Amino acid sequence: MKLFFSILILIGILFYSYKSNQTHNNFNYNPNEIELDATNGKLKLEMFSEKIIILYFGFLSCPDFCPTTLSKISKVFKGLTPDEQKKFQFFFIDLDPKRDDIKSITEYLNFFSKDFIGVKMNDRQLLSFSQFFKIKYRYVPLNSELKYTVDHAADLVLYSPSKKQILEKFSHSLPAESILESLKKY
Amino acid sequence: MIKLFSIAVGLFYFFNANALEILNAKIKLLPPASKTTAMFLTVKNDSDADQKIVNIKSKISDEIELHNMIMEDGMMKMRATNEILIPKKSSVELKPGGLHVMIFNLKSALKENDEHEFIMELSNKEIIKFKALVIPL
């Protein structure tokens, strides 16, 4: 009898965790199929199935951390051989669609590298997309000229579109040399 | 003689009036379209009193603010702050990923290697002038 109840409870726990997992991870969501409004036109991540995608989520009025990361990435890319460079594609996902338009995102990214692709989404797209990549962000009113800021996870995400899988995440504090070393392994 | 002495004392105080020393002030060169940028510097306080920076002004912008970056709950957060404390006999570095000066609504695009003048106001009403260099960071 005791065993029966334990099994019942176990099944209950498993079922519950499965359900909560499902709503949380959005099993049906496929970032590869979403049509994205990018700095070089409309595209889908599945078009990059031969590459590894490096994603960074940020916003243009962030003058400190986001540009620091972008110049770090451009430094990393310069450290790769041309053949190695071809294996990767960098994407900047804009977290501030209200303030940033595709033209300013393009100008901004070109400053760091002509090969970077920027993406602008609407609020709903952005929410599911960032949830898939487990990137937290939040709009916070600010007593400043800026009016509001975007708190956001500053990790770099390595994503394989063909595997539909996150391969690795690099912490915001990881120096360019370490990122370069990790990328060379792919 | 007394007159000369007081001039000497006056000059001494004139050149040593600043409680704080500003070192290595740099403005981050950003894409020309960007109206916002950040300034970083080191503030050295050799005096016997804590000092507080309450304001920074310049001709290049009418909106300059003191900000701080905090890493919390796995998120990078930028917050405005009213003052920056420079404890006595110590120095504080305003650097990327930490305390910094935000410059909004730049009146004209910044150019690499340009120098711009700034005025720093302390809580004790003291004013410190310094120059900052525009460089890619």
Side-chain angles (χ1 to χ4, degrees):
Chain A
M1 195 62 184
K2 226 177 186 176
L3 187 74
F4 175 73
F5 270 114
S6 325
I7 290 170
L8 208 64
I9 288 167
L10 196 69
I11 290 172
I13 290 170
L14 281 176
F15 184 70
Y16 180 78
S17 63
Y18 171 73
K19 277 214 76 152
S20 63
N21 227 341
Q22 202 172 28
T23 48
H24 219 76
N25 281 341
N26 229 338
F27 277 165
N28 300 323
Y29 184 81
N30 184 354
N32 296 352
E33 291 171 353
I34 312 294
E35 191 178 64
L36 304 169
D37 196 4
T39 46
N40 50 352
K42 302 262 183 219
L43 54 83
K44 289 179 179 178
L45 293 189
E46 63 187 9
M47 289 157 65
F48 298 85
S49 56
E50 255 125 75
K51 293 184 187 244
I52 291 170
I53 291 176
I54 306 170
L55 295 142
Y56 179 74
F57 295 67
F59 64 114
L60 301 195
S61 359
C62 149
D64 179 15
F65 207 78
C66 298
T68 307
T69 306
L70 291 174
S71 57
K72 186 153 86 178
I73 304 296
S74 92
K75 203 172 141 192
V76 167
F77 268 89
K78 278 175 197 147
L80 295 169
T81 66
D83 276 347
E84 287 170 334
Q85 282 175 11
K86 281 182 204 144
K87 288 186 198 163
F88 303 96
Q89 176 59 54
F90 177 75
F91 275 85
F92 174 83
I93 311 297
D94 190 80
L95 289 174
D96 195 1
K98 215 187 278 177
R99 267 193 296 229
D100 305 338
D101 56 37
I102 206 79
K103 186 174 167 266
S104 46
I105 298 171
T106 309
E107 277 173 352
Y108 200 84
L109 290 181
N110 278 346
F111 182 76
F112 299 97
S113 165
K114 301 265 183 277
D115 298 324
F116 289 177
I117 298 177
V119 171
K120 182 191 161 91
M121 293 182 212
N122 64 38
D123 288 325
R124 246 174 67 196
Q125 282 180 317
L126 193 55
L127 196 66
S128 335
F129 194 83
S130 57
Q131 254 171 14
F132 180 89
F133 292 104
K134 297 183 177 69
I135 293 291
K136 287 198 286 183
Y137 67 99
R138 192 171 64 175
Y139 301 104
V140 180
L142 211 59
N143 183 20
S144 151
E145 178 63 23
L146 203 55
K147 309 283 188 291
Y148 69 91
T149 185
V150 191
D151 290 355
H152 64 92
D155 303 326
L156 289 166
V157 184
L158 243 64
Y159 172 70
S160 159
S162 56
K163 291 183 187 153
K164 220 189 115 188
Q165 198 183 339
I166 297 170
L167 303 174
E168 209 173 334
K169 270 192 182 188
F170 297 135
S171 151
H172 70 282
S173 53
L174 205 66
E177 297 72 35
S178 316
I179 298 174
L180 183 63
E181 209 176 295
S182 301
L183 292 190
K184 279 184 178 289
K185 287 179 200 149
Y186 286 97
Chain B
M1 188 62 197
I2 291 172
K3 221 176 190 175
L4 201 67
F5 180 69
S6 40
I7 289 170
V9 169
L11 279 174
F12 178 80
Y13 274 100
F14 179 75
F15 285 111
N16 288 277
N18 293 340
L20 299 182
E21 197 182 345
I22 313 296
L23 305 163
N24 212 8
K26 292 169 291 193
I27 307 168
K28 189 176 214 155
L29 180 70
L30 284 183
S34 180
K35 291 264 170 245
T36 309
T37 188
M39 177 165 68
F40 305 101
L41 45 91
T42 302
V43 193
K44 208 167 148 217
N45 181 5
D46 280 335
S47 76
D48 289 320
D50 292 348
Q51 304 288 345
K52 279 177 190 161
I53 305 168
V54 292
N55 202 4
I56 289 181
K57 289 179 183 169
S58 172
K59 281 180 188 160
I60 63 169
S61 158
D62 292 330
E63 281 95 23
I64 299 181
E65 299 176 6
L66 307 171
H67 279 238
N68 195 10
M69 302 290 298
I70 312 147
M71 189 69 202
E72 208 177 64
D73 315 321
M75 288 188 282
M76 210 68 197
K77 302 176 176 183
M78 184 168 80
R79 296 291 180 266
T81 171
N82 291 330
E83 55 182 41
I84 293 175
L85 174 76
I86 317 292
K88 59 184 175 187
K89 299 280 177 211
S90 68
S91 64
V92 171
E93 196 184 348
L94 278 62
K95 58 174 186 227
L99 287 163
H100 60 278
V101 180
M102 288 275 298
I103 304 171
F104 296 103
N105 301 330
L106 280 163
K107 289 176 186 167
S108 57
L110 295 173
K111 280 192 267 208
E112 192 172 349
N113 292 323
D114 273 2
E115 260 193 330
H116 295 285
E117 282 186 18
F118 289 83
I119 292 172
M120 182 184 278
E121 289 177 14
L122 306 185
S123 58
N124 64 7
K125 305 285 177 216
E126 199 178 304
I127 275 170
I128 299 161
K129 285 184 183 173
F130 65 96
K131 281 180 183 170
L133 189 68
V134 179
I135 53 165
L137 287 166

